[in-house]
Structures are given as structure tokens and as C-alpha cells.
Amino acid sequence: MLRSLFLGFVKIHILHHASKGPIYGLWVIEELERHGYRFSPGTIYPTLHLMTRDGYLRCESKVVNGKVRKYYTITKKGSDVLNQAIGKLRELVEEVL
């Protein structure tokens, strides 16, 4: 239960950061660790792929230091969902805190 709850927070983090500029898997893992989350690549990469498949993120591959890195940016659909989530978060925080 706790892991699935936090995965929802992680998806909001991903959308938030992808709205600011391109992100990639390892960066997401490191950013989440700064906030106390510990998710493995086996969780983060499938999450990024699912969010791309579902139309919330756009993926673009680039070669960096001889390796292909996938960069993710938010789509219009992802931006709409993020804005809805922010409203719900605001409402929840006001009620809970």
C-alpha cells in the first residue's frame, strides 16, 4: 500500500520536473533520493515508459558520451493532468494540515 501511494507522488514529481525541461531516468532517481524516496531503475524506467505510452510524456533519444539517453518532456495531456493534480494536492494539504 505504501509503495503504491508513493508511486503516485513520484508520477507527480516526474510530471513537474518534465514541465520544467527534459529529464532522464538516472536524473529522476537521483532527484527522488534527494526527497527521501528510494526507487530502483526497475521501477522508474517502466514508470517513464508507461507515462510515455499513456501520452503524459514525450520521449526523445540523444547520444551523450557515446551512449543513447532517453529524455522525457511533458505533453499537453501531461500538463493538464499535472494542473489537476496540483489542485487536488492543494485541497488535500489544506484539509490534512
Side-chain angles (χ1 to χ4, degrees):
M1 165 65 178
L2 189 59
R3 186 169 179 80
S4 65
L5 177 68
F6 286 159
L7 193 53
F9 295 158
V10 165
K11 289 176 181 178
I12 294 171
H13 267 278
I14 288 170
L15 288 174
H16 167 73
H17 289 293
S19 75
K20 303 298 181 193
I23 60 172
Y24 56 95
L26 182 57
W27 182 89
V28 170
I29 292 168
E30 292 171 350
E31 173 64 16
L32 291 172
E33 285 178 354
R34 281 186 346 98
H35 294 285
Y37 296 99
R38 299 235 180 255
F39 285 98
S40 71
T43 298
I44 296 303
Y45 287 104
T47 300
L48 289 168
H49 296 157
L50 286 172
M51 292 176 74
T52 301
R53 184 199 71 197
D54 292 342
Y56 303 117
L57 298 173
R58 179 179 307 105
C59 180
E60 181 180 347
S61 297
K62 294 184 182 179
V63 177
V64 178
N65 297 327
K67 295 182 181 179
V68 176
R69 178 180 286 165
K70 292 182 179 181
Y71 286 92
Y72 298 87
T73 54
I74 199 165
T75 63
K76 168 80 168 92
K77 181 178 178 181
S79 185
D80 291 345
V81 167
L82 177 60
N83 288 329
Q84 290 175 21
I86 289 169
K88 296 293 184 186
L89 280 171
R90 194 171 281 125
E91 180 182 326
L92 181 63
V93 166
E94 289 173 4
E95 184 172 324
V96 173
L97 301 180

